[in-house]
């Protein structure tokens, strides 16, 4: 369950469009609205190309929003602010990337990689303090002091992700966007990184936006889960609510693709096979964006966009199967 219902981040009608050429605009994120509560892990899932990584980067302010707004602790992330205020927000919001190797400068030692944020934000007064802080961070993420003078290529994938986590923690953030942080790792290492993230959350009261392409990955770490399709949210629920009773046909299909541990249940359950590919975000379908692949599509689905509504407490869905439309 979510730890509190105190809003840390509010995302309102967020858009991030990319101009492809003179005529075409790619709507990677197109009107995303949701909240992230203090101390929770919000899992964001969807197939590749659904806009979840762009959403994460836009929420962080790494991409300028094309529309809408993000407020972090009541302050706008994209609005005009003084350099000092901007620096403070970037300190409070950090990111962990899918490919830790690509995100670590190969020519820098681990010590300098981790201390970059410490230097930028002036968090250590002396060289000794800087060094001590790096060692403490390495130990926090399960590495040790000897690792600080080595280079990224000397580490395994799991260790590099730990370095990425230490770098994010170095500036003492409140909120971390973890963009597919375990997708590139071996299955045996994935659980270790997830457990580390959970431990750090407990110790430091961190809030996570955990992005993944598959629902089984977010199941154990998330308090709530949001499912994205073609630049927008189609369902949000508590983790249990979503896995026990998925409402949106897209979520139902994603869940039906997860193998079950019990062979008897696995044999008897029905798989929903989605036909076709995700349509292009340059030219999305009219009405419900999922209608071209939806096994339950009705006549209304091609002409009216389903409203994103709270169907039952803490369970939101955008689908005409549940109530009236707004159009
Ligand atoms: Fe399927 Fe229609 Fe619901 Fe869209 S609105 S998910 S097409 S039933």
């Amino acid at each position: 369950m979510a730890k509190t219902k105190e809003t840390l981040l509010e995302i309102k009608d967020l858009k991030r469009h990319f101009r492809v050429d003179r005529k075409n605009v790619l709507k990677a994120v197109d009107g995303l609205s949701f909240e992230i509560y203090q101390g929770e892990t919000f899992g964001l899932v969807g197939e590749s190309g659904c806009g979840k990584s762009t959403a994460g980067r836009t929420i962080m302010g790494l991409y300028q929003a094309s529309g809408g707004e993000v407020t972090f602790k009541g302050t706008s992330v994209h609005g005009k602010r003084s350099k000092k205020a901007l620096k403070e927000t970037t300190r409070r919001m950090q990111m962990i990337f899918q490919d830790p190797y690509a995100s670590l400068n190969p020519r820098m030692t681990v010590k300098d990689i981790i201390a970059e944020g410490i230097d930028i934000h002036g968090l250590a007064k002396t060289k000794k303090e800087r060094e001590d802080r790096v060692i403490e961070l390495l130990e926090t993420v399960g590495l040790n002091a000897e690792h600080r003078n080595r280079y990224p290529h000397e580490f395994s994938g799991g260790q590099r992700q730990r370095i990425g986590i230490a770098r994010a923690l170095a500036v003492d953030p409140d909120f971390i966007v973890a963009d597919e942080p375990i997708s590139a790792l071996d299955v045996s290492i994935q659980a270790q990184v997830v457990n580390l993230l959970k431990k750090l959350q407990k110790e430091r009261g961190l809030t996570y936006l955990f992005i993944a392409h598959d629902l089984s990955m977010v199941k154990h770490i998330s308090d709530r889960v949001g499912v994205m399709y073609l630049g927008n949210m189609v369902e949000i629920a508590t983790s249990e609510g979503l896995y026990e009773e998925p409402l949106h046909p897209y979520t139902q299909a994603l869940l039906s693709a997860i193998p079950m541990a019990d062979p008897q249940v696995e044999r008897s359950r029905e798989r929903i096979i989605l036909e076709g590919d995700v349509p292009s975000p340059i030219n999305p379908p009219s009405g419900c964006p999922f209608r071209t692949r939806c096994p339950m599509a009705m006549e209304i689905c091609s002409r009216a966009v389903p409203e994103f509504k709270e169907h039952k407490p803490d369970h939101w869905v955008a689908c005409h199967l549940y109530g009236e439309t707004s159009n």
Side-chain angles (χ1 to χ4, degrees), residues 265-321:
V265 179
E266 174 68 22
R267 268 196 300 276
S268 62
R269 79 206 180 97
E270 204 188 322
R271 278 244 154 80
I272 305 167
I273 311 286
L274 287 180
E275 305 279 334
D277 296 325
V278 181
S280 164
I282 295 176
N283 189 18
S286 61
C288 171
F290 186 56
R291 72 172 170 85
T292 53
R293 300 171 79 200
C294 180
M296 322 280 280
M298 306 169 283
E299 191 273 326
I300 190 177
C301 304
S302 62
R303 52 183 174 79
V305 178
E307 194 186 343
F308 193 55
K309 286 196 299 198
E310 193 169 21
H311 178 65
K312 49 190 198 172
D314 296 325
H315 201 146
W316 294 70
V317 64
C319 174
H320 291 308
L321 292 171

Side-chain angles (χ1 to χ4, degrees), residues 12-293:
K12 245 197 215 159
D13 200 22
L14 188 69
K15 295 187 175 114
R16 174 62 204 185
H17 297 172
F18 297 94
R19 180 157 287 286
V20 182
D21 53 39
R22 274 177 55 200
K23 279 193 189 147
N24 295 307
V25 173
L26 188 151
K27 296 174 178 174
V29 176
D30 199 29
L32 202 60
S33 296
F34 66 107
E35 291 177 352
I36 301 177
Y37 303 139
Q38 171 77 49
E40 78 166 336
T41 298
F42 189 100
L44 189 60
V45 292
E47 287 163 288
S48 85
C50 72
K52 55 193 189 303
S53 286
T54 305
R57 283 173 163 76
T58 313
I59 288 168
M60 291 282 299
L62 297 178
Y63 288 153
Q64 195 52 248
S66 310
E69 71 173 353
V70 178
T71 46
F72 174 69
K73 292 192 163 182
T75 307
S76 169
V77 172
H78 295 270
K80 276 200 174 135
R81 281 162 310 147
S82 67
K83 266 193 178 162
K84 196 173 160 230
L86 186 69
K87 211 170 156 189
E88 180 58 15
T89 307
T90 54
R91 181 171 87 78
R92 296 275 169 203
M93 300 169 81
Q94 290 292 306
M95 193 148 181
I96 302 168
F97 298 88
Q98 175 179 8
D99 181 351
Y101 195 54
S103 70
L104 304 175
N105 187 334
R107 285 182 294 274
M108 281 167 76
T109 60
V110 164
K111 174 167 70 182
D112 288 337
I113 289 171
I114 294 176
E116 224 179 352
I118 297 175
D119 298 340
I120 291 170
H121 295 283
L123 301 177
K125 289 183 193 72
T126 62
K127 248 184 151 184
K128 163 105 177 44
E129 205 180 317
R130 181 187 193 259
E131 186 96 356
D132 288 349
R133 198 159 158 82
V134 168
I135 294 170
E136 189 198 315
L137 285 159
L138 282 169
E139 285 167 356
T140 302
V141 298
L143 297 170
N144 61 55
E146 281 81 70
H147 288 131
R148 70 191 189 284
N149 294 318
R150 298 196 199 160
Y151 290 87
H153 73 268
E154 297 175 63
F155 294 88
S156 68
Q159 286 175 320
R160 283 180 206 144
Q161 196 52 286
R162 287 173 191 270
I163 296 168
I165 295 170
R167 176 177 59 180
L169 292 180
V171 291
D172 203 12
D174 298 316
F175 173 64
I176 292 181
V177 173
D179 187 6
E180 304 233 21
I182 56 170
S183 307
L185 304 176
D186 288 348
V187 176
S188 57
I189 310 293
Q190 287 181 348
Q192 292 175 15
V193 173
V194 164
N195 288 340
L196 172 63
L197 288 170
K198 276 185 175 173
K199 180 179 97 94
L200 295 169
Q201 180 172 48
K202 215 170 164 192
E203 288 169 3
R204 296 168 179 245
L206 290 165
T207 303
Y208 294 137
L209 176 63
F210 191 97
I211 300 172
H213 60 265
D214 127 21
L215 273 165
S216 60
M217 275 192 191
V218 295
K219 188 172 179 181
H220 300 295
I221 192 166
S222 306
D223 297 294
R224 290 188 304 142
V225 177
V227 181
M228 265 185 91
Y229 187 78
L230 217 56
N232 220 321
M233 202 71 94
V234 298
E235 185 162 3
I236 293 179
T238 59
S239 216
E240 307 92 80
L242 195 85
Y243 289 92
E244 273 162 29
E245 197 194 348
L247 297 176
H248 198 282
Y250 179 55
T251 315
Q252 290 168 356
L254 290 181
L255 278 171
S256 84
I258 301 175
M260 302 292 229
D262 182 336
Q264 217 173 349
V265 179
E266 174 68 22
R267 268 196 300 276
S268 62
R269 79 206 180 97
E270 204 188 322
R271 278 244 154 80
I272 305 167
I273 311 286
L274 287 180
E275 305 279 334
D277 296 325
V278 181
S280 164
I282 295 176
N283 189 18
S286 61
C288 171
F290 186 56
R291 72 172 170 85
T292 53
R293 300 171 79 200

